[in-house]
Amino acid sequence: MNILTAAQTRQLDQATIKEQHTTSTALMERAATALASWLLRHYPPQVAGEVLLLCGPGNNGGDGLALARLLFGADYAVRLALLPADKYSDDYQYNHHVLPKTIPVSELSAGALPSIQPGTLVVDALFGTGLTRPLTGQAAAVVAHLNESGARVVAVDMPSGLLADAPQPDPAAPVVRATHTVSFGLPKLAFLLPQNAEFVGEWHVEDIGLSANFIAQADTPWHLTQLPAATPRPDVALPRRTKFAYKNTFGHALLLAGSRGKVGAAVLAAGACLRGGVGLLTVAVPGCGYDIIQTTRPEAMCLADAQADFISALPATKPYQAIGIGPGLGQDVASRAVLEKLLRETQVPLVIDADALNMLGEHRDLLDLLPENTVLTPHIGEFARLTEKTKDDYHRLDLLRAFAQQHRCLVVLKGAYTAVAAPDGHVYFNTTGNPGMGTGGSGDVLTGLLLALRADQRLAPLLAVRLAVLAHGHAGDLAAADTGEAGLVAGDLVQHIGPALRQLE
Ligand SMILES: NC(=O)C1=CN([C@@H]2O[C@H](COP(=O)(O)OP(=O)(O)OC[C@H]3O[C@@H](n4cnc5c(N)ncnc54)[C@H](O)[C@@H]3O)[C@@H](O)[C@H]2O)[C@H](O)CC1
Ligand SMILES: [K+]
């Protein structure tokens, strides 16, 4: 699914109105109805206590007014505080006009602040995607007051003060710190960046029947990767295996991994690759790992002991459809020699992770040798070593897109919403996974899964990478359902890859 900019969400409204022969007021009613049903589910009247709705002068405020009317009808105790402005949108004025007269409304006078008791449930309908500049004056004072009040805040569409698709021009300007943000149709880019989490809180998207055609054709570099069951128009799915498919279809992969004390990384990556459906797997580990691989993963072939010391001589790479290098490899000179040889000599699709990534970071001239559609899987620290350190998630996204375009590679930037950057500069945010996956070996499992899907001759490079990231996160969600997030270990991910992949078909 595409992620739209603030401007595109306005065009989406217009497209929906035209396509469905409806009106902006009717769209607002849909938004308010979705908000009311969300509140009924999460904060029913007996739990909510009094609901204070803060309304701004535009359609975000209009949503708040319409919501107040609906909540009042659903037996909530509601109170309104309206921010004065020199102009109000038409839909705002309509909803203000039809407000039941018995709802207490305080039209805040210039400079006045609403009275907010700690624990009050506040609906933030001050500003949404129409925000064009940092909040100042009374709007800023109201937001600062709200943030100090201890109230639980449900933000309508956006936490007021945060831009939907760009960094804050003034980091000192106040932004609502919402407990929940309830948006419409699809998430904003801002929801997917960790630095905004303190303002967005837990985000939710309600379907209000916005034009799926407009969303699908919108020209945007930002996209979501979702489980097929989670979206009406899945854009990724794992093709079913036909009866006549055979081992070669699913490829023969080579995994170069492991070193003394870090053979476990090779075991996890090998397990994930096998569970990921690879046809054949050959693992090249140093001598110390040979017996361990043979016993823990008998399905894998292990380079014969003499050859297994691949640090000196890279095995012939012709028989393989994909090669993975990095998990637990170590960064000694010999490993670098193998990586360099691999980059210079083979055109086989590569998945480069962990220690091999760090070697690229230290010897950036090697980046010029990357074959097209090489998959790199850095976490934020490894990506900084490949590009530059930054604390700004927006700047990091720019770096990510530029890097993928410059090196024509697929970069999997691991994080809360793992972002896959493609050589054309498009970025795909993953929507599966949980914090329990921040556990040792989780990255090795992803590498094995990427290797399996890159070896699958039916999958184009970008689809293979998006599916692997989606399945990895989903395996984590399935595993956490059993073990809890704290109890989750990387081996559990491997065990749940099969069931996870089944739900991608
Ligand atoms: N498709 C959808 O997502 C729908 C969204 N809806 C709601 O509409 C708002 C967007 O409404 P809009 O009138 O464009 O703007 P806002 O209400 O966000 O802002 C009001 C107004 O405020 C002015 N303004 C901008 N920045 C500032 C500032 N820093 N200080 C003071 N005033 C400012 C500017 O003139 C804005 O126009 C969207 O968020 C949804 O809540 C529809 O209701 C349903 C479909
Ligand atoms: K808002």
Side-chain angles (χ1 to χ4, degrees), residues 277-290:
V278 74
L280 269 177
L281 173 64
T282 296
V283 186
V285 286
C288 62
Y290 184 73

Side-chain angles (χ1 to χ4, degrees), residues 8-10 12-14 16 24-32 35 56-64 83 85-87 89 91 125-136 139-140 156-158 161 163 182-186 188 208 210:
Q8 286 172 325
T9 56
R10 277 189 287 282
L12 171 59
D13 277 6
Q14 295 317 313
T16 305
S24 168
T25 314
L27 269 195
M28 181 167 291
E29 199 62 22
R30 290 192 209 171
L35 288 165
N59 287 0
N60 196 250
D63 284 351
L83 194 68
D86 44 21
K87 68 177 172 53
S89 74
D91 291 329
L126 292 166
F127 299 97
T129 52
L131 189 83
T132 51
R133 58 195 185 282
L135 295 179
T136 55
V156 173
D157 202 30
M158 288 291 302
L163 294 172
V182 184
S183 187
F184 313 110
L186 43 99
K188 274 75 180 163
I208 59 171
L210 297 169

Side-chain angles (χ1 to χ4, degrees), residues 146-199:
L146 172 60
N147 285 343
E148 285 147 18
S149 70
R152 293 165 297 170
V153 181
V154 177
V156 173
D157 202 30
M158 288 291 302
S160 298
L162 189 67
L163 294 172
D165 49 25
Q168 296 302 90
D170 170 9
V175 178
V176 165
R177 307 168 79 83
T179 320
H180 299 274
T181 294
V182 184
S183 187
F184 313 110
L186 43 99
K188 274 75 180 163
L189 177 63
F191 297 178
L192 303 169
L193 303 180
Q195 70 192 44
N196 298 326
E198 63 181 300
F199 305 116

Side-chain angles (χ1 to χ4, degrees), residues 278-356:
V278 74
L280 269 177
L281 173 64
T282 296
V283 186
V285 286
C288 62
Y290 184 73
D291 293 340
I292 298 167
I293 292 287
Q294 286 299 315
T295 47
T296 56
R297 296 300 348 179
E299 311 91 341
M301 294 184 291
C302 217
L303 285 182
D305 217 9
Q307 287 172 293
D309 205 5
F310 67 84
I311 294 300
S312 51
L314 184 73
T317 58
K318 204 157 32 56
Y320 305 106
Q321 279 71 50
I323 300 176
I325 180 168
L329 190 68
Q331 298 184 43
D332 57 19
V333 170
S335 305
R336 185 158 68 76
V338 168
L339 177 63
E340 189 157 346
K341 204 168 159 60
L342 202 55
L343 291 175
R344 286 192 192 288
E345 287 179 13
T346 179
Q347 286 311 314
V348 173
L350 290 181
V351 177
I352 302 180
D353 183 26
D355 289 326

Side-chain angles (χ1 to χ4, degrees), residues 24-199:
S24 168
T25 314
L27 269 195
M28 181 167 291
E29 199 62 22
R30 290 192 209 171
T33 305
L35 288 165
S37 80
W38 186 91
L39 277 164
L40 274 165
R41 293 197 305 272
H42 291 79
Y43 292 101
Q46 61 278 17
V47 164
E50 182 190 60
V51 180
L52 168 62
L53 295 101
L54 305 179
C55 297
N59 287 0
N60 196 250
D63 284 351
L65 289 166
L67 174 61
R69 173 166 36 83
L70 296 175
L71 293 180
F72 183 70
D75 293 335
Y76 280 86
V78 296
R79 178 162 60 94
L80 280 158
L82 310 183
L83 194 68
D86 44 21
K87 68 177 172 53
Y88 296 87
S89 74
D90 296 346
D91 291 329
Y92 173 99
Q93 296 187 57
Y94 168 78
N95 281 293
H96 188 250
H97 175 69
V98 301
L99 206 59
K101 297 298 169 257
T102 46
I103 293 180
V105 178
S106 56
E107 313 254 358
L108 293 175
S109 55
L113 292 178
S115 70
I116 304 174
Q117 310 310 323
T120 303
L121 181 62
V122 173
V123 171
D124 158 27
L126 292 166
F127 299 97
T129 52
L131 189 83
T132 51
R133 58 195 185 282
L135 295 179
T136 55
Q138 182 177 19
V142 167
V143 167
H145 175 56
L146 172 60
N147 285 343
E148 285 147 18
S149 70
R152 293 165 297 170
V153 181
V154 177
V156 173
D157 202 30
M158 288 291 302
S160 298
L162 189 67
L163 294 172
D165 49 25
Q168 296 302 90
D170 170 9
V175 178
V176 165
R177 307 168 79 83
T179 320
H180 299 274
T181 294
V182 184
S183 187
F184 313 110
L186 43 99
K188 274 75 180 163
L189 177 63
F191 297 178
L192 303 169
L193 303 180
Q195 70 192 44
N196 298 326
E198 63 181 300
F199 305 116

